[in-house]
Amino acid sequence: MADYLGRYFSTRDRLVLNSFNAELLGDIIQTLVLLYKIAPTETKTNVYGETNQEVGKFYYPAIEMTALVDRGDISSEEEDFGPDRKQSVVFKFRELMLKQVNFFPQVGDLVLFNERYHEIDNVVQEQFDGGQPEKSRSIICNTHYTRFSKINLVDRQG
């Protein structure tokens, strides 16, 4: 029954759309990013869930993925120890591709793009074919530029 909810977006229609999107991202746009999943057992937090500034967060090795990237302007603010660079970037991933590699981005995960690390602030999963939640198409990650000094990468646990 769920296959026929909505006028146009049947299973066959979704397969065609996914095929077009895969070809567009993989063969034409070809923007590769690296996704790093936070390692919760390695990251030490205090009672409020905050990490120590000196140690930072720990991440598993990266997974390579194609994405649409919407970059905001880079701004700089003068801090006590020099300029502080800020940039908001939106990364858009195909949900089917993320499911195939068993990766779901969460707040706190990292995206490496253009030799800069971006920490995920928010994950949006509300782009539905025909307005139907069971026919979700993409995962949108809102991020901010983060300092390399706050990142610790660890080997993925078996």
Side-chain angles (χ1 to χ4, degrees), residues 18-34:
N18 277 327
S19 175
F20 290 156
N21 287 338
E23 186 174 344
L24 179 67
L25 282 173
D27 297 337
I28 298 170
I29 296 174
Q30 297 180 341
T31 303
L32 292 175
V33 299
L34 295 176

Side-chain angles (χ1 to χ4, degrees), residues 38-60:
I38 194 165
T41 57
E42 309 293 334
T43 303
K44 305 293 184 231
T45 59
N46 62 15
V47 107
Y48 303 106
E50 300 166 337
T51 59
N52 184 342
Q53 290 286 355
E54 295 152 7
V55 177
K57 299 175 185 174
F58 289 86
Y59 296 89
Y60 293 121

